[in-house]
Amino acid sequence: MAHRTLAQQERETLCDLFVELGPDAPTLCAGWVTADLAAHLVARERRPDSGPGLVWPPLAGHTERVRRSLRDRTPWEVLVATVRSGPPVLLRPFDGPMNTIEFFIHVEDVRRTQSGWAERPISPELADALWARVGPGGMAKKVHASIVITSPGRPAKQGGDGPRLTLTGDPGELTLFGAGRQQAAMVDVAGDAELAAQLRTASLGV
């Protein structure tokens, strides 16, 4: 059996959750249930015309119409199967850079709305991949602070200027925090209490 990449592993985990929980389960994505999230992932990989609206507000309406159409017109089982099948051939060389973090975050978007959820052990390989991409830059743009991110056994990363805020957590938790899931991420924020509160409620991520 061929070795599955990190992106493939996280994709499988998410699709297994979709099958287990169905199309109407809650997620951490505001206003979205699992059917909305699955449709977003299909549109992201298979409707390139909808991509610019994810980052450019004037086109957000088109992106949302594409996503809702996929959600409403595609049977749930087909949506899940399409996500599970992976990206189209032309995008497969970019699967790792595009999707490892994306799918890790969305697995947790689904897991962490379930009662009794617990932190999921992740492989050292995945932890390393997440740590390589996590950084303080986006957070430092939201609050006037010098942000230091630390994780046990790893060199600290620092960005921004102003009073110091130190974020401590595992790479996965710091990834979720930086992607706008601050309330669900198990991250300790030390430093100025007012700035820490601002950071915990700031709009982070895309």
Side-chain angles (χ1 to χ4, degrees):
M1 182 177 177
H3 173 70
R4 291 187 305 152
T5 66
L6 295 171
Q8 290 168 343
Q9 292 170 26
E10 292 301 290
R11 185 187 294 270
E12 286 290 326
T13 299
L14 180 58
C15 288
D16 289 347
L17 282 169
F18 283 160
V19 171
E20 175 188 350
L21 298 173
D24 300 313
T27 77
L28 292 180
C29 302
W32 282 10
V33 294
T34 40
D36 295 291
L37 179 53
H40 158 72
L41 292 169
V42 172
R44 180 175 171 271
E45 292 187 327
R46 297 177 183 274
R47 286 292 303 269
D49 59 299
S50 73
L54 294 172
V55 294
W56 196 43
L59 295 179
H62 174 68
T63 298
E64 181 66 3
R65 285 190 293 273
V66 169
R67 187 189 64 77
R68 287 184 178 180
S69 176
L70 283 166
R71 179 197 65 191
D72 296 341
R73 298 182 183 183
T74 310
W76 172 241
E77 293 77 9
V78 175
L79 268 182
V80 175
T82 304
V83 175
R84 195 186 292 274
S85 69
V89 172
L90 289 177
L91 292 180
R92 287 183 184 174
F94 311 102
D95 189 29
M98 282 180 56
N99 290 323
T100 300
I101 292 177
E102 176 90 4
F103 277 83
F104 168 79
I105 290 170
H106 289 322
V107 166
E108 299 305 319
D109 282 338
V110 176
R111 288 186 70 255
R112 297 187 185 212
T113 60
Q114 303 303 305
S115 61
W117 72 271
E119 186 176 2
R120 174 172 61 118
I122 63 175
S123 69
E125 186 183 10
L126 179 55
D128 288 346
L130 296 174
W131 179 254
R133 295 281 295 276
V134 71
M139 298 181 236
K141 292 177 181 178
K142 298 293 185 176
V143 296
H144 179 61
S146 175
I147 294 178
V148 180
I149 60 173
T150 64
S151 191
R154 301 174 187 273
K157 299 181 181 183
Q158 183 170 351
D161 55 54
R164 182 184 178 108
L165 288 179
T166 301
L167 281 64
T168 304
D170 290 336
E173 301 303 318
L174 291 164
T175 296
L176 292 169
F177 192 101
R181 280 73 170 173
Q182 298 100 304
Q183 302 308 312
M186 291 182 284
V187 171
D188 178 71
V189 182
D192 181 86
E194 183 176 346
L195 283 175
Q198 289 178 23
L199 185 62
R200 285 195 177 277
T201 56
S203 177
L204 302 178
V206 175

